[in-house]
Amino acid sequence: GENVEQHPSTLSVQEGDSAVIKCTYSDSASNYFPWYKQELGKRPQLIIDIRSNVGEKKDQRIAVTLNKTAKHFSLHITETQPEDSAVYFCAAHTDSWGKFQFGAGTQVVVTP
Amino acid sequence: ETGVTQTPRHLVMGMTNKKSLKCEQHLGHNAMYWYKQSAKKPLELMFVYSLEERVENNSVPSRFSPECPNSSHLFLHLHTLQPEDSALYLCASSQDARNEKLFFGSGTQLSVL
């Protein structure tokens, strides 16, 4: 079936360095790609999203890039801080009833 | 409280128990969802409700029974669960069932003994 592959599953970075998480999707009809951040014991929260007609989007220290031809999209976090430590998961959405495919998540640990 | 609220936050139950999870959204949304979140696995969509009508049932075992009495409230009734059902159960809402912007609750961490 349709799915989203997310890598890596864990990522440890030094404070101030950059972190990159990659997702690959299979459904060519996917047209919306959100990223969620989930801190321990808290709800997933949308941090950034991108639509299929855009190649890149940036919001302060986070950015998302989309390669429609290769069917992959990536989350970039620059100048990482300890509060960036969380699980991040990607998703791909198609125009249908609640049709999201989610990645399995990446545990990001930012060490001081 | 604004947003999506779930109760209880934690639940421990035996395999013969009957319990219910509750979700309430204060966003004026028309669609509500139940997701199962297991460690290191993608979120699994269980049920979708649009204007109190179930529009999606992802082959979920009958021991999980959803109920949506109105567009602001969603329940998940649990009966005769198995240990492998232990997981975080997340409720979410969106403006409507085709809208991409999901707002999640904090979840109920369920342990089945």
Side-chain angles (χ1 to χ4, degrees):
Chain A
E2 309 293 357
N3 55 32
V4 172
E5 298 291 330
Q6 182 171 344
H7 297 282
S9 58
T10 58
L11 181 59
S12 183
V13 295
Q14 200 77 19
E15 182 177 359
D17 289 349
S18 295
V20 180
I21 305 169
K22 298 181 180 178
C23 286
T24 304
Y25 62 99
S26 56
D27 186 352
S28 57
S30 298
N31 56 13
Y32 173 72
F33 307 91
W35 284 91
Y36 292 88
K37 176 183 180 182
Q38 187 176 21
E39 297 177 65
L40 189 63
K42 295 191 177 180
R43 71 190 70 214
Q45 290 196 305
L46 178 68
I47 55 171
I48 196 167
D49 54 13
I50 193 167
R51 296 189 183 279
S52 57
N53 58 348
V54 176
E56 184 174 0
K57 185 176 178 181
K58 189 174 181 180
D59 183 3
Q60 299 182 2
R61 294 188 298 107
I62 59 173
V64 56
T65 58
L66 171 65
N67 183 327
K68 283 175 56 179
T69 303
K71 294 183 187 171
H72 63 70
F73 55 111
S74 300
L75 178 71
H76 304 254
I77 307 173
T78 58
E79 300 172 31
T80 54
Q81 300 168 5
E83 53 264 38
D84 294 329
S85 297
V87 173
Y88 294 80
F89 56 90
C90 61
H93 181 268
T94 58
D95 285 333
S96 184
W97 298 104
K99 282 297 184 185
F100 279 96
Q101 298 292 334
F102 288 93
T106 297
Q107 176 71 63
V108 174
V109 177
V110 180
T111 54
Chain B
E1 183 184 340
T2 59
V4 181
T5 304
Q6 288 187 244
T7 55
R9 291 295 307 275
H10 303 273
L11 179 62
V12 179
M13 59 187 290
M15 289 190 283
T16 57
N17 291 159
K18 289 184 181 181
K19 296 287 183 182
S20 295
L21 310 184
K22 179 183 177 182
C23 178
E24 184 174 0
Q25 57 96 1
H26 307 269
L27 300 168
H29 288 168
N30 292 321
M32 296 187 77
Y33 310 76
W34 280 117
Y35 282 93
K36 177 182 179 182
Q37 187 176 35
S38 303
K40 300 189 185 300
K41 289 186 178 180
L43 287 178
E44 298 174 46
L45 178 65
M46 300 176 72
F47 302 103
V48 181
Y49 275 83
S50 177
L51 295 170
E52 302 122 56
E53 287 193 28
R54 192 189 309 179
V55 296
E56 182 93 12
N57 177 345
N58 261 12
S59 303
V60 179
S62 59
R63 58 186 184 269
F64 295 92
S65 175
E67 178 189 1
C68 188
N70 55 62
S71 59
S72 298
H73 293 85
L74 185 65
F75 295 89
L76 188 62
H77 304 298
L78 315 173
H79 176 51
T80 323
L81 294 193
Q82 305 298 310
E84 58 265 29
D85 297 322
S86 298
L88 181 68
Y89 288 84
L90 288 167
C91 173
S93 71
S94 63
Q95 186 61 53
D96 57 60
R98 293 188 184 274
N99 190 281
E100 313 103 338
K101 303 281 188 184
L102 284 179
F103 293 78
F104 286 94
S106 297
T108 295
Q109 185 66 55
L110 174 67
S111 297
V112 182
L113 304 179

